[in-house]
Amino acid sequence: MADQTKRDRASLADQAEVRTTAPAALNENTHRHDSHDHDHDDEDGHDHEHPFERQEALRIGFVAVAAALVWFKVWEPIPTISVIGVVGLLVGGWPILKEAFENVLQRRMTMELSMTIAIVAAAAIGEFFTALVITLFVLVAEVLEGLTVGRGRKAIRDLLEFLPSEVSVRRTGSIRTISAAELNIGDAILVAPGGRIPVDGAVLSGNSFVDESRITGESMPVEKIEGAAVFAGSINQSGALEVRAERIGRDTSYGKIIEAVERAERSRAPVQRLADRMAGYLVYFALGSAVLTYLITQNIYSTISVIIVAGACGIAAGTPLAILGGIGRSARLGAIIKGGVHLETLGKVDTVVLDKTGTLTFGRPEVQAVVAAPGVSAEDLLDAAAAAELRSEHPLGKAIITHAKAQGRPVAEPEHFAYTPGRGIAARVTGSMILVGNQAWMRDNGVAITAPLNLGVEAASEVYVARDGVLLGAIAVADTVRPEAKRAIESLTALGIRTLLLTGDALPVAQAVGRSLGIKEIEAGLLPEDKLARIQALIQQKRTVAMVGDGVNDAPALAEASVGIAMGSGTDVAQESADVVLLGNDLVRLVETLKVARRTRRIIWQNFAGTLAIDAIGIGLAAVGVLNPLMAAFIHVASEMAFILNSARLLPRKVGAEEGKAPSTPLGVQPAAVHP
């Protein structure tokens, strides 16, 4: 386990260096089993990352000085050839020339290849100053582009480095300090005040307040006592805690967030491949326009300007950068998107299908109301019910006991206990016979219900309680609707997204939940195959369907939907079948993720449209002689950087560098719903 953890952490660090931009040709590998989901790894290709190191700075400075010397004609021993210009081009243009040569060998048309053609052409007609300036523009643009894209990769390292590298553990009765890579599941970890929690787990001992703002966005520290769940990446503030490690490395919520950003660097969406093809087509179009310009005008300056002005790197680099930013920002919201293709699909979703239990509700029954009969106190009713249910394994009985303990009520031990399936319980408590069950159980035992009790809870299970043949009252137990669900449904409706509720539960219960949330389309009593058929029918209607569920019975529908979304507290089967996992189970985060996906698509298409418009106008102006090579190079580089910066708007904001400082955008894991 320690070796595996060490490998996981090493892999995280290594993969943080994966290239972010996509080649025109790629080696594709199917990521998942179904036909609508394809993620691909970049094995080779165009790398827009050029770290701003000393060598790059010296090269840029050398080219700038050479350009100035050529402009002022400081030393020109050969009338027809600028010696300084040639040296400047060889030194400064070497990375560009090398990449262009590799593109030729790979039979790939790129903008580096077209710019090399333009630089060589300018030098061939004696325009060494123009050739040097073009080289300078390209070098500076590559560095700026690399720095911009590097923000996404740095976010991974920032996340990883936030976890402590060494931890204190209790082993064989003594406390030792070990490397975090040596942690094992089950280890007892000691976290001092001010320390960072390295694992997902539960508090074994201690009492403290923990800053979970980095994980949940919760502005106030959360109190942690024995048994409370804690999460990697949160900060212990006041007291010492001893935590049992239940998830380590990649398995922690924090690790899954890092993994999602790593996957963003490797995944390729269909729009990304379209961007690659379009970049190649634009280069061919520019070269064809240049040939046509020369045939018509016989002006070599206009011809070179046509080649220079056409820029496609804005979409070739801007598209994967936008995908990276969208997935990274979604991860900060607590939505783990398993690839760029799913982010693109999310941006097109027009129908959201929701399961009920565990998705719109918490999936656990809770006491909603305690209504005592006339002359009976609510406390007496609750005490009797809890005592009778103490030995029960029924979910409703457990809910009543939990509620009684939460109210601080003592629960007496029953002297006798008998359970009749489908009816209820008969228990003897302190000499009295307590009956707990449904109305039929009361009738079977001769308990009269003279007047209906108004529980005031729609679609709840009614648990009646009687003592020695006299009705004490009733307790309403029902699944609890997630508090954020109504706001999420309203937001989905505001986005113009159709919502449907599909559940295997009874129709009255489904209708009650649907009405409370404002969902109009409700189908109940569905088996897993029924949900699958309903999803298939929607897809056949040309709808882009997102299915949200959490259970094994949701897995077929999650796999069939255009994009499957699993709740983080759901089953492993559901999470494996899904394309997106909501770590925090917060449906509002789902809405925010849909907005991020739509914004990502919008920015990508803005880049597409802007690139086509600028290239078309620029080629036209260059062809008629309005743009000289120098101005064409400036327009090329300026437009490219504009589109890259447009995509960079999606990158997550910088994580707070100071220890304990919350980031401006939370990672979005809701701990109350995540069960280690």
Side-chain angles (χ1 to χ4, degrees):
M1 178 61 71
D3 291 341
Q4 179 63 42
T5 305
K6 190 179 298 182
R7 285 194 297 270
D8 285 346
R9 292 177 66 90
S11 178
L12 284 171
D14 293 342
Q15 292 177 13
E17 302 299 329
V18 174
R19 287 181 265 188
T20 56
T21 52
L26 65 153
N27 179 19
E28 299 184 344
N29 296 299
T30 303
H31 179 67
R32 275 191 57 213
H33 60 277
D34 54 283
S35 59
H36 68 268
D37 178 8
H38 301 282
D39 289 346
H40 308 283
D41 294 342
D42 273 347
E43 300 288 344
D44 57 1
H46 185 102
D47 183 1
H48 285 271
E49 178 196 348
H50 289 269
F52 192 56
E53 298 174 349
R54 184 178 180 183
Q55 185 179 1
E56 291 288 341
L58 291 174
R59 181 176 284 113
I60 290 173
F62 185 85
V63 174
V65 171
L69 294 176
V70 170
W71 175 259
F72 291 108
K73 299 180 180 179
V74 172
W75 185 60
E76 300 290 349
I78 303 175
T80 56
I81 299 177
S82 172
V83 176
I84 295 177
V86 171
V87 174
L89 289 176
L90 290 175
V91 173
W94 171 248
I96 306 170
L97 179 63
K98 180 182 177 183
E99 189 166 350
F101 181 70
E102 292 172 353
N103 297 153
V104 171
L105 293 180
Q106 296 169 3
R107 293 186 296 178
R108 294 170 53 240
M109 178 55 70
T110 66
M111 287 310 300
E112 276 66 25
L113 182 54
S114 68
M115 293 303 285
T116 299
I117 295 172
I119 291 170
V120 172
I125 62 173
E127 288 290 330
F128 285 97
F129 176 72
T130 299
L132 286 169
V133 171
I134 295 171
T135 303
L136 184 63
F137 281 168
V138 173
L139 291 175
V140 172
E142 290 283 347
V143 169
L144 292 176
E145 186 177 320
L147 291 174
T148 303
V149 175
R151 283 180 54 195
R153 295 188 318 278
K154 187 176 184 299
I156 302 173
R157 291 191 292 270
D158 286 343
L159 288 172
L160 185 60
E161 291 169 359
F162 186 80
L163 296 181
S165 58
E166 292 187 339
V167 294
S168 296
V169 299
R170 188 189 302 277
R171 288 181 178 174
T172 62
S174 62
I175 298 175
R176 300 167 49 196
T177 298
I178 64 171
S179 167
E182 298 175 13
L183 276 174
N184 294 320
I185 292 176
D187 275 339
I189 302 167
L190 280 71
V191 185
R196 291 166 289 177
I197 297 175
V199 298
D200 286 0
V203 176
L204 290 173
S205 63
N207 184 9
S208 181
F209 286 85
V210 173
D211 177 7
E212 295 181 336
S213 58
R214 192 178 182 87
I215 306 297
T216 68
E218 172 64 52
S219 58
M220 298 297 293
V222 180
E223 186 175 11
K224 299 295 180 181
I225 59 175
E226 183 177 342
V230 293
F231 299 89
S234 54
I235 301 169
N236 183 26
Q237 287 197 330
S238 52
L241 291 176
E242 186 168 351
V243 176
R244 182 180 66 250
E246 296 180 343
R247 287 195 179 114
I248 59 178
R250 284 184 180 273
D251 293 332
T252 65
S253 299
Y254 208 71
K256 291 182 184 300
I257 292 169
I258 297 171
E259 236 185 326
V261 184
E262 289 178 334
R263 187 178 293 110
E265 294 193 304
R266 302 190 302 271
S267 66
R268 295 171 55 78
V271 71
Q272 203 168 322
R273 295 190 290 276
L274 174 62
D276 292 334
R277 290 196 299 270
M278 182 178 290
Y281 294 152
L282 283 175
V283 173
Y284 286 124
F285 178 73
L287 293 176
S289 299
V291 171
L292 186 62
T293 298
Y294 184 75
L295 292 176
I296 295 175
T297 66
Q298 300 293 308
N299 188 323
I300 191 64
Y301 289 92
S302 296
T303 302
I304 294 173
S305 297
V306 168
I307 297 174
I308 294 172
V309 77
C313 283
I315 56 174
T319 300
L321 180 60
I323 297 291
L324 171 66
I327 293 183
R329 187 173 286 271
S330 299
R332 290 284 183 89
L333 294 172
I336 301 303
I337 301 175
K338 296 182 180 178
V341 61
H342 309 309
L343 180 69
E344 183 180 353
T345 305
L346 276 175
K348 299 184 287 186
V349 164
D350 54 26
T351 304
V352 172
V353 175
L354 301 125
D355 175 48
K356 181 186 74 68
T357 306
T359 301
L360 295 174
T361 67
F362 284 109
R364 57 178 183 268
E366 294 181 357
V367 172
Q368 305 293 329
V370 178
V371 180
V376 180
S377 69
E379 290 78 7
D380 192 19
L381 166 61
L382 186 59
D383 290 345
E389 295 279 11
L390 186 60
R391 296 179 183 174
S392 172
E393 293 297 322
H394 196 285
L396 299 185
K398 290 183 177 181
I400 291 172
I401 294 170
T402 299
H403 182 72
K405 290 181 177 179
Q407 298 295 316
R409 306 300 302 173
V411 180
E413 182 80 21
E415 301 154 8
H416 169 76
F417 174 87
Y419 171 60
T420 303
R423 285 294 191 265
I425 291 170
R428 185 169 297 280
V429 181
T430 61
S432 298
M433 179 59 68
I434 306 296
L435 300 175
V436 179
N438 54 28
Q439 288 192 38
W441 184 237
M442 296 295 119
R443 287 196 301 268
D444 291 347
N445 288 276
V447 177
I449 303 177
T450 55
L453 298 172
N454 183 17
L455 297 176
V457 180
E458 193 174 17
S461 297
E462 299 176 351
V463 180
Y464 290 86
V465 183
R467 179 192 289 127
D468 295 333
V470 179
L471 183 69
L472 298 180
I475 300 174
V477 182
D479 198 355
T480 304
V481 174
R482 294 184 182 275
E484 80 282 358
K486 183 175 179 60
R487 186 155 52 98
I489 298 301
E490 291 173 348
S491 299
L492 288 173
T493 303
L495 290 174
I497 294 175
R498 175 185 174 189
T499 57
L500 295 87
L501 171 57
L502 304 184
T503 179
D505 210 339
L507 182 60
V509 176
Q511 288 177 334
V513 172
R515 278 194 298 270
S516 67
L517 298 177
I519 301 176
K520 297 179 180 178
E521 297 185 63
I522 301 167
E523 297 181 31
L526 301 180
L527 297 173
E529 54 266 31
D530 299 326
K531 291 183 180 181
L532 177 61
R534 191 70 180 92
I535 295 293
Q536 291 172 335
L538 289 168
I539 292 176
Q540 288 174 0
Q541 296 169 15
K542 307 301 181 184
R543 311 287 299 192
T544 302
V545 182
M547 169 68 192
V548 188
D550 79 317
V552 174
N553 62 329
D554 298 318
L558 288 170
E560 183 65 26
S562 307
V563 56
I565 304 170
M567 305 297 279
S569 60
T571 64
D572 291 340
V573 174
Q575 293 186 25
E576 286 298 320
S577 302
D579 308 309
V580 181
V581 178
L582 293 180
L583 289 179
N585 307 293
D586 189 342
L587 291 173
V588 173
R589 299 295 189 188
L590 168 62
V591 177
E592 294 174 0
T593 301
L594 287 169
K595 291 179 180 179
V596 169
R598 289 188 172 190
R599 186 183 176 198
T600 301
R601 290 191 76 242
R602 186 164 58 248
I603 284 177
I604 289 173
W605 287 106
Q606 286 172 358
N607 291 349
F608 275 34
T611 297
L612 292 174
I614 290 177
D615 281 6
I617 295 172
I619 288 174
L621 293 176
V624 298
V626 174
L627 297 181
N628 59 33
L630 194 60
M631 184 59 68
F634 174 77
I635 291 175
H636 171 102
V637 175
S639 62
E640 176 184 333
M641 287 310 304
F643 297 132
I644 289 174
L645 291 175
N646 188 37
S647 295
R649 292 188 295 136
L650 285 164
L651 291 175
R653 296 178 183 177
K654 180 177 176 62
V655 176
E658 299 177 10
E659 185 174 310
K661 180 180 177 182
S664 51
T665 306
L667 293 178
V669 182
Q670 299 293 340
V674 179
H675 303 286

